[in-house]
Amino acid sequence: MSTPKIRNMEEFAALSGISRPTVSKYFNDPESVRPSTREKIERTLEQCDYRPNIFAVNQNRKLTKNVGIVVPYLADPFFAELARRVETLVIAEGFRPILLSSHGDPALEVENLESLRAIKPAGVLLAPLGRASDHAAIERFCADVPTVNFDSNIEGVGDVFVGHNNAQATTVMVDYLVRSGEPPVFFEMRTPPNPNANKRRIAYVATMERLGLEPQVIQAEGEGWELEEIGYRGGRRALQDRRLATNTVFCSNDRLAIGFLAAAYELEMKVGHAEGCELRVAGHDNHPFSRFTCPMLTTISHNYSAIAAKSVETVMHMIESGERLAERQITQFDGELIMRASA
Amino acid sequence: MSTPKIRNMEEFAALSGISRPTVSKYFNDPESVRPSTREKIERTLEQCDYRPNIFAVNQNRKLTKNVGIVVPYLADPFFAELARRVETLVIAEGFRPILLSSHGDPALEVENLESLRAIKPAGVLLAPLGRASDHAAIERFCADVPTVNFDSNIEGVGDVFVGHNNAQATTVMVDYLVRSGEPPVFFEMRTPPNPNANKRRIAYVATMERLGLEPQVIQAEGEGWELEEIGYRGGRRALQDRRLATNTVFCSNDRLAIGFLAAAYELEMKVGHAEGCELRVAGHDNHPFSRFTCPMLTTISHNYSAIAAKSVETVMHMIESGERLAERQITQFDGELIMRASA
DNA sequence: TTCATAAATTTACGCGCGTAAAGTAATTTG
DNA sequence: CAAATTACTTTACGCGCGTAAATTTATGAA
């Protein structure tokens, strides 16, 4: 801090007594210079905190150190949590994460991708909106930029997908619910924004049939991402109309379940797996808030850490190798049953 | 799309039949060129979708079009919601928002500011961590970059603060609770991460005394941002030990209240303002999930839209004028009582 | 038509850094 | 100690654009 302001690498090089190209080399990879020069540079660095101009650097490199992270809806703590883990891993790899949320809007999703294109990212981690997404636009983007799709799998789009094993997870929950009480009714949105929902319904029906049980699916009306509200309204109606064939409800995701629980509470129905309860409610996702519902929500957890780690690992591999995979690679991690009080 | 790839402004200018400097002028302000030339450029733009290289642009401009947004904890839907609104307004102003979360970590907060410095933002909207923040580092940053502090006011740091009127909001809630039942006990963290908490406690005590009532403050142990967990544990203990002087609890914020409600539910205490309830619980913030607690949470809403609008408006004014305010400017928006079932 | 003014063009330089080529110095090897 | 290798220095160019100065052209009113 004692030395005057350093304006550019030229001045810094002069101060450290090393030539500018060598200094440039150092900043691209400190290991690539001789230990003695490295030490000189780092000693100088301590007393004047110079940092290369990020714009000039990125202008001249073909590949930046930027990694885009796009999630469909950041105000959903589920995605916030996933993004947080991914972000941390990206930083650990020495890259700069750029976090963007599509706020549930397909147009904004495309804008986000265009915006990322402009900063020439080395790679991108994309959790697409799903049904509403502009598939063609995403396809084009994946063709141009090394992209790992995660969480939400749009069939046939992109080279790589990393996500949750919806089929396995759903089967585990249905098995548990059947063994521990009455078989579950499946509660979902009629038009879910996320393709995971369809896989869950299909797995539910298949598991029920395998067990020789009659599946029942109840679909709530409503568009958009206000899932609690949709779960609340649809749940209230279903309960009032007594449309449930059994006393057990398996919600397609935790946010719907949170709404459903609110509805049950209002109707003064006691929820839980304990004696004297009239209703069991289970969810799916292990949403950060599912531990604090009343009663605490029985659910299935994503393997958050594995999904985040594999996604980042994969995009890093794509970046380093520069290759594209011959065929589509899909990785799915099993979910884990979280038994709490609600079912 | 018919024309081949345009590599730079030079080629684009040639294609449109306009000189490069004029094209450059157009991109900085389309209104600044003659309508006829503007039309020519825009016609060319339609058939080859060229966009100026963002790095080259930012390298040469003294002021970029970047606006940093830093929040303490993005996985908290409260901040996610606030960030979403701010982001939208920043885009509407024609700037590029860069959203960063400090994930509750003071070191990361400082890193985020350093990272922002590197991209020469025109302005920054900063919601600091609060107590844990490195005040000196933030102070230095505010001195260098036009910065609006929002949500969390660190006394004396920065030129501008926009936030919630904790004193007014707390008073309104205490008044309401006193008029509608027994006076409230205040429930908070012993070491809250956020300075708003202190203002709320002080206002609670003052209001109680003004009303001639005995204030009672119960403080939950625990560090960090897992507020629901802290509220749950502290609430459970307070309820079991029967430490509440009255049947009414005013939680310092909704996340604590969510935990408190979970504790009350587990202890089979009926919560609500209705007949036959043993406990009333109120919160503060109108957290996105407070509508779906059991029972639905009575709380006080921030004026989210006003805070977001004023913050963005202020930073834009600082950017355009280039001036610094002579003295510290503080704007606080009143909260609004949201009466729901819990109190 | 003429002139004053506004707008575009030409020319030129600079931003801060990556990077290549050729030469020089330091280090390692035998 | 000389030769071979490696690391560094010098020099030079380019990236894509902002921007200033001087010149030319277009616009509109007199």
Side-chain angles (χ1 to χ4, degrees):
Chain A
M1 300 291 189
S2 57
T3 52
K5 291 287 172 202
I6 301 297
R7 306 212 137 271
N8 53 39
M9 197 181 278
E10 197 79 50
E11 290 183 18
F12 178 83
L15 197 75
S16 63
I18 310 283
S19 73
R20 192 183 65 77
T22 304
V23 172
S24 170
K25 210 173 167 218
Y26 166 84
F27 278 109
N28 285 325
D29 179 12
E31 303 284 343
S32 68
V33 302
R34 199 183 302 154
S36 64
T37 48
R38 179 177 172 181
E39 203 186 334
K40 274 197 224 170
I41 292 175
E42 283 171 355
R43 256 210 309 275
T44 315
L45 217 43
E46 278 168 18
Q47 48 183 270
C48 69
D49 69 55
Y50 159 78
R51 288 171 64 169
N53 180 307
I54 199 169
F55 300 115
V57 170
N58 285 333
Q59 178 174 16
N60 295 315
R61 252 208 286 260
K62 54 237 97 222
L63 215 66
T64 69
K65 281 281 187 181
N66 298 326
V67 170
I69 303 170
V70 182
V71 295
Y73 206 84
L74 201 46
D76 182 339
F78 171 83
F79 288 111
E81 177 62 21
L82 203 49
R84 189 179 67 80
R85 289 167 183 260
V86 168
E87 217 179 10
T88 306
L89 293 172
V90 167
I91 292 173
E93 293 281 347
F95 285 72
R96 239 175 68 85
I98 314 288
L99 178 59
L100 301 173
S101 164
S102 304
H103 299 322
D105 179 1
L108 187 51
E109 184 172 57
V110 173
E111 268 183 52
N112 280 340
L113 294 181
E114 286 308 313
S115 170
L116 279 178
R117 260 209 173 89
I119 61 170
K120 296 179 195 162
V124 168
L125 294 148
L126 169 64
L129 282 168
R131 192 171 56 86
S133 287
D134 182 339
H135 292 210
I138 293 180
E139 183 74 76
R140 278 197 304 273
F141 186 83
C142 292
D144 296 344
V145 181
T147 303
V148 169
N149 288 277
F150 70 106
D151 179 67
S152 173
N153 187 9
I154 301 187
E155 219 55 65
V157 172
D159 294 338
V160 187
F161 172 74
V162 179
H164 175 62
N165 190 340
N166 289 293
Q168 170 271 346
T170 302
T171 300
V172 167
M173 178 60 91
V174 173
D175 273 342
Y176 162 72
L177 291 173
V178 168
R179 284 165 188 241
S180 56
E182 296 183 17
V185 173
F186 194 75
F187 179 73
E188 65 167 358
M189 286 172 72
R190 183 179 302 286
T191 52
N194 190 295
N196 289 334
N198 299 320
K199 304 211 177 89
R200 293 175 186 180
R201 180 181 9 81
I202 291 166
Y204 160 77
V205 171
T207 305
M208 289 291 278
E209 286 173 350
R210 179 171 59 72
L211 296 173
L213 298 165
E214 183 74 21
Q216 185 195 2
V217 175
I218 296 183
Q219 296 184 316
E221 303 297 334
E223 294 280 339
W225 287 79
E226 303 220 330
L227 307 192
E228 292 85 4
E229 182 67 35
I230 292 167
Y232 169 74
R233 291 204 187 147
R236 197 180 161 94
R237 178 166 302 173
L239 289 170
Q240 280 181 320
D241 298 354
R242 307 198 166 282
R243 281 163 51 202
L244 278 67
T246 74
N247 75 349
T248 301
V249 181
F250 181 12
C251 298
S252 180
N253 62 66
D254 284 354
R255 294 184 61 192
L256 283 176
I258 288 168
F260 198 99
L261 285 176
Y265 185 90
E266 263 201 3
L267 297 173
E268 299 193 346
M269 298 182 72
K270 193 157 165 54
V271 174
H273 76 297
E275 290 296 315
C277 295
E278 348 170 25
L279 196 61
R280 294 196 301 164
V281 176
H284 196 153
D285 287 341
N286 194 25
H287 190 284
F289 280 22
S290 63
R291 281 168 58 208
F292 302 101
T293 55
C294 299
M296 295 179 182
L297 189 62
T298 288
T299 185
I300 312 162
S301 181
H302 290 219
N303 194 337
Y304 285 91
S305 55
I307 292 172
K310 176 72 178 177
S311 300
V312 173
E313 184 187 300
T314 306
V315 80
M316 288 302 153
H317 180 260
M318 292 172 81
I319 291 170
E320 281 162 21
S321 72
E323 296 163 11
R324 287 308 169 77
L325 287 76
E327 59 186 64
R328 201 148 187 275
Q329 172 195 308
I330 295 182
T331 309
Q332 291 180 323
F333 291 98
D334 283 359
E336 186 190 350
L337 181 65
I338 309 283
M339 283 181 283
R340 300 206 187 95
S342 77
Chain B
M1 301 294 188
S2 57
T3 51
K5 292 286 173 204
I6 300 298
R7 306 210 136 273
N8 53 39
M9 198 182 277
E10 197 80 51
E11 290 184 17
F12 178 81
L15 197 75
S16 63
I18 310 283
S19 73
R20 192 182 66 74
T22 304
V23 172
S24 171
K25 210 171 167 218
Y26 166 84
F27 278 109
N28 284 326
D29 179 11
E31 304 284 344
S32 68
V33 301
R34 199 182 303 154
S36 63
T37 48
R38 178 177 171 182
E39 202 187 333
K40 273 198 224 169
I41 292 175
E42 282 170 354
R43 257 210 309 275
T44 315
L45 218 44
E46 278 167 18
Q47 47 183 272
C48 68
D49 68 58
Y50 159 79
R51 289 172 63 170
N53 180 307
I54 199 169
F55 300 115
V57 169
N58 285 334
Q59 178 173 16
N60 295 314
R61 251 207 287 260
K62 54 237 102 221
L63 216 65
T64 69
K65 282 282 188 179
N66 299 325
V67 170
I69 304 170
V70 183
V71 295
Y73 206 84
L74 201 46
D76 183 338
F78 171 83
F79 289 110
E81 177 62 21
L82 203 49
R84 190 178 66 79
R85 289 166 183 261
V86 169
E87 217 179 9
T88 306
L89 293 173
V90 167
I91 292 174
E93 293 281 347
F95 284 73
R96 238 175 68 85
I98 314 288
L99 178 59
L100 301 173
S101 165
S102 304
H103 300 323
D105 179 2
L108 187 52
E109 185 172 57
V110 174
E111 270 183 49
N112 280 340
L113 295 181
E114 286 307 314
S115 171
L116 279 179
R117 261 209 172 89
I119 60 170
K120 296 179 197 164
V124 168
L125 293 147
L126 169 63
L129 282 168
R131 193 172 55 88
S133 286
D134 182 338
H135 292 210
I138 293 179
E139 184 73 77
R140 278 198 303 273
F141 185 83
C142 292
D144 296 345
V145 181
T147 303
V148 169
N149 288 277
F150 69 107
D151 179 66
S152 172
N153 186 10
I154 301 186
E155 218 56 63
V157 173
D159 294 337
V160 187
F161 171 76
V162 178
H164 175 62
N165 190 340
N166 289 292
Q168 170 271 344
T170 301
T171 300
V172 166
M173 178 61 91
V174 173
D175 273 342
Y176 162 73
L177 291 173
V178 168
R179 285 164 187 241
S180 56
E182 297 184 16
V185 173
F186 194 74
F187 180 73
E188 65 166 359
M189 286 171 71
R190 183 178 304 284
T191 53
N194 190 295
N196 289 333
N198 298 321
K199 304 212 178 89
R200 291 175 187 180
R201 178 179 13 78
I202 292 166
Y204 160 77
V205 172
T207 306
M208 289 290 278
E209 286 172 352
R210 178 172 58 74
L211 296 173
L213 297 165
E214 182 75 22
Q216 185 195 2
V217 175
I218 296 183
Q219 295 185 316
E221 302 296 335
E223 294 281 338
W225 288 79
E226 302 219 329
L227 308 192
E228 293 85 5
E229 183 67 34
I230 291 166
Y232 168 74
R233 291 204 187 149
R236 197 181 161 95
R237 178 167 302 174
L239 289 170
Q240 279 180 322
D241 298 353
R242 307 196 167 285
R243 282 163 50 203
L244 279 67
T246 73
N247 75 350
T248 301
V249 181
F250 181 13
C251 298
S252 179
N253 62 65
D254 284 354
R255 293 185 61 191
L256 283 176
I258 288 169
F260 198 99
L261 285 177
Y265 185 91
E266 262 200 6
L267 296 174
E268 299 192 347
M269 298 183 73
K270 194 156 165 55
V271 174
H273 75 296
E275 288 297 316
C277 294
E278 347 171 26
L279 195 61
R280 295 195 301 164
V281 176
H284 196 153
D285 286 342
N286 194 23
H287 191 284
F289 280 23
S290 63
R291 281 168 58 208
F292 302 101
T293 55
C294 300
M296 295 179 182
L297 189 62
T298 288
T299 186
I300 311 162
S301 182
H302 290 219
N303 195 337
Y304 284 91
S305 54
I307 292 172
K310 176 72 178 176
S311 299
V312 173
E313 183 188 300
T314 307
V315 80
M316 288 302 153
H317 179 260
M318 290 172 82
I319 291 170
E320 280 161 22
S321 72
E323 296 163 12
R324 287 309 169 77
L325 289 76
E327 59 187 63
R328 200 147 187 275
Q329 172 194 309
I330 295 182
T331 309
Q332 291 180 324
F333 291 99
D334 283 358
E336 185 190 352
L337 181 65
I338 310 281
M339 283 182 282
R340 300 207 188 97
S342 76

